[in-house]
Amino acid sequence: MVDLSARADRLDEYLDARGLEAVWFAEPNGFAWLTGGDNVVDADAPIGVAAAGYDGEFRVVTDDIEARRLADEQLPDAFAVESFPWYAGSLAEAVADRSPLPAAADFAVSGFESVDTARLRQPLTADDVARYRELGREAAAALETVCRNLKPTDPEYEVAAGIDISLSSRDVNTPVVLVGSAERARSYRHFVPTDATLGDYALVSITAERGGLYASLTRTVAFDAPDWLERHHRAAGRVEATALAATRAAAAGDLGTGEGPGTAGDVFDAIREAYDAVGFADEWKHHHQGGAAGYAGREWIARPDGDDPVIEPMGYAWNPTVSGAKSEDTYLVDGDRLELLTKTGQWPTHEVESVAVDGVPTETFELNAPTVR
C-alpha cells in the first residue's frame, strides 16, 4: 500500500511553496504514485480515465463508467470518488469544475499550472522501496525463466511473446521488450523483435512495470559465443560499474561541486571517462546511458551538463552498450547501501571493477554475465 501520510507531507510542502490549493494527476505514473492504483483503460492514451487530487484531502474524479470499479479495486479507502456523466464533458472539465483554485495538474486543465511530477516522485519512500524489491525480483525471475529455455532457432517475436506471458502471469506489465538476435543485436541498439532467429547469441532487454514502478534489466544468452562477445560485455560492465560508483558518490555529495548532491551530468562525465578507459571511447554516442528510475522507466536520463540532482533513496538503471553487448540492471542507492533489485541469485555473475575517476572511489561489483547454453 502507498504511504499516504508521506505523500500528504510532500504535497503539503509543494502546495505551500507555490501558493496552490490543489494538485491533480491523470497521467498513469502520477496517478499510480499518489494512489497505488491504475487509471489505464486504453494503453495508447496519454492520460488515464481518472484524475487523483490532493487539496488537504485525497480525491479522485472520473466518469460514471469507472467510478465504482476504481473505488472497489484500485483506490485506498482514503480517496473520495466523485463521478460525472460520461457524456457530459471531459475529465479536464470535470476536474476544473470541482477543484479549489489556484491549482496545478500533470495534464492540460484550463487555468491550471503544470506540475513537474518527476521531481515530486523523488526520493522514493519506504513503501516504494518495499514494492520495488518485489517488482525487481519478479521481473528478473520472469525474464531469466524464459532465457534459460531459449534455442538458437527461436524467432525474436516468439521470445518476446514468452516474456510477455511470463511477466503477465506475475501481474507485471511489459512496456518495453527488446529481443536482439546475433545479427541484429550488433547492428542496432533498440532491437524491436522481428521474425529473425536468435542464432549464435541473443540480447534480451525489458522494462517491467507494476503499481507504477519500473525496473529495467538485460540478459545475454550465448549458444556459440562470438570471440569478441566476452570482451565487449566486460567493457560494458566496467562502464556500468563506474556509473554505479559515481551515482553513490554523487548522491553523497562527493562528486560534483561539493554543495549538495552531484548531478546527472557529473555521473555522465564519469561514464564517458569509463568508455575511454576500456577502449571504446565513442560508444556512448550510439545510445543513452540510463539514469534515475522509479515511477518511470527513467525519471531522467543522464546527459552532458544534465542538472538533475542525484538523490537517495532512489532507483537507478544504467544501460551502457558496446557494439553487440549491453550491461543493465536496476539498483537502489540509499546511503552506503547499493542494492541490486533485479536479482534472483540464479544467473551467472562476474566480478567487475569500476574505472578510476576523480572523485569516485574504485569499487568491485558482481554484475550479471552472459550465460552459455
Side-chain angles (χ1 to χ4, degrees):
M1 294 289 291
V2 169
D3 183 348
L4 292 178
S5 176
R7 298 291 192 268
D9 289 345
R10 194 171 295 182
L11 291 173
D12 282 334
E13 182 180 349
Y14 173 82
L15 295 177
D16 289 345
R18 288 159 179 79
L20 299 173
E21 294 296 324
V23 59
W24 294 85
F25 305 90
E27 291 184 354
N29 51 2
F31 186 93
W33 172 76
L34 184 56
T35 69
D38 185 354
N39 68 344
V40 174
V41 171
D42 179 357
D44 287 336
I47 66 170
V49 296
Y54 179 77
D55 58 7
E57 303 291 336
F58 294 102
R59 303 167 60 190
V60 163
V61 172
T62 188
D63 63 44
D64 53 11
I65 301 173
E66 308 297 341
R68 187 163 65 89
R69 178 183 65 83
L70 293 177
D72 289 348
E73 299 180 348
Q74 297 295 330
L75 298 171
D77 292 339
F79 281 83
V81 179
E82 305 167 39
S83 65
F84 62 95
W86 65 266
Y87 52 84
S90 68
L91 179 61
E93 292 168 339
V95 168
D97 288 343
R98 290 163 174 78
S99 176
L101 299 174
D106 69 352
F107 67 118
V109 181
S110 179
F112 283 29
E113 297 180 13
S114 62
V115 55
D116 184 352
T117 53
R119 291 292 177 94
L120 267 178
R121 296 192 295 258
Q122 302 175 60
L124 299 175
T125 57
D127 63 296
D128 293 330
V129 171
R131 290 184 294 116
Y132 219 160
R133 288 193 181 104
E134 294 177 2
L135 170 62
R137 287 193 298 268
E138 294 280 17
L143 181 58
E144 292 173 10
T145 296
V146 173
C147 286
R148 278 192 289 269
N149 291 284
L150 296 182
K151 301 184 296 295
T153 54
D154 289 337
E156 293 170 345
Y157 66 81
E158 286 190 5
V159 176
I163 293 168
D164 284 337
I165 292 169
S166 185
L167 282 161
S168 181
S169 70
R170 293 167 166 84
D171 191 27
V172 177
N173 300 315
T174 49
V176 178
V177 179
L178 303 176
V179 181
S181 58
E183 180 178 350
R184 296 183 69 247
R186 199 164 189 195
S187 298
Y188 312 112
R189 263 35 180 207
H190 286 158
F191 21 86
V192 177
T194 69
D195 60 359
T197 54
L198 298 183
D200 291 343
Y201 83 103
L203 288 184
V204 186
S205 300
I206 66 168
T207 295
E209 180 272 333
R210 184 168 65 188
L213 289 165
Y214 290 74
S216 299
L217 61 155
T218 294
R219 295 293 181 264
T220 305
V221 179
F223 309 105
D224 184 13
D227 293 340
W228 50 264
L229 181 60
E230 175 62 26
R231 179 170 63 91
H232 285 205
H233 186 89
R234 183 165 287 277
R238 291 199 71 195
V239 177
E240 185 187 18
T242 306
L244 293 169
T247 302
R248 182 148 58 184
D254 298 331
L255 181 65
T257 64
E259 300 173 0
T263 66
D266 295 324
V267 179
F268 183 85
D269 289 342
I271 289 171
R272 186 159 48 186
E273 287 188 45
Y275 272 109
D276 188 55
V278 299
F280 293 95
D282 291 332
E283 284 293 304
W284 64 269
K285 296 179 180 179
H286 302 306
H287 189 256
H288 76 76
Q289 302 303 304
Y295 282 88
R298 299 294 187 274
E299 296 283 12
W300 49 255
I301 289 173
R303 293 179 171 85
D305 303 319
D307 62 0
D308 296 279
V310 179
I311 60 176
E312 56 185 3
M314 197 63 204
Y316 290 91
W318 301 105
N319 48 259
T321 59
V322 173
S323 179
K326 183 178 183 182
S327 188
E328 177 186 30
D329 273 292
T330 302
Y331 289 79
L332 173 71
V333 176
D334 186 9
D336 292 335
R337 181 174 58 179
L338 187 65
E339 179 182 345
L340 175 57
L341 298 175
T342 46
K343 178 182 180 180
T344 63
Q346 304 300 313
W347 196 262
T349 62
H350 55 179
E351 288 190 351
V352 180
E353 185 177 56
S354 63
V355 169
V357 175
D358 285 345
V360 181
T362 301
E363 299 185 57
T364 300
F365 297 89
E366 284 283 338
L367 301 184
N368 285 301
T371 185
V372 179
R373 293 284 317 282

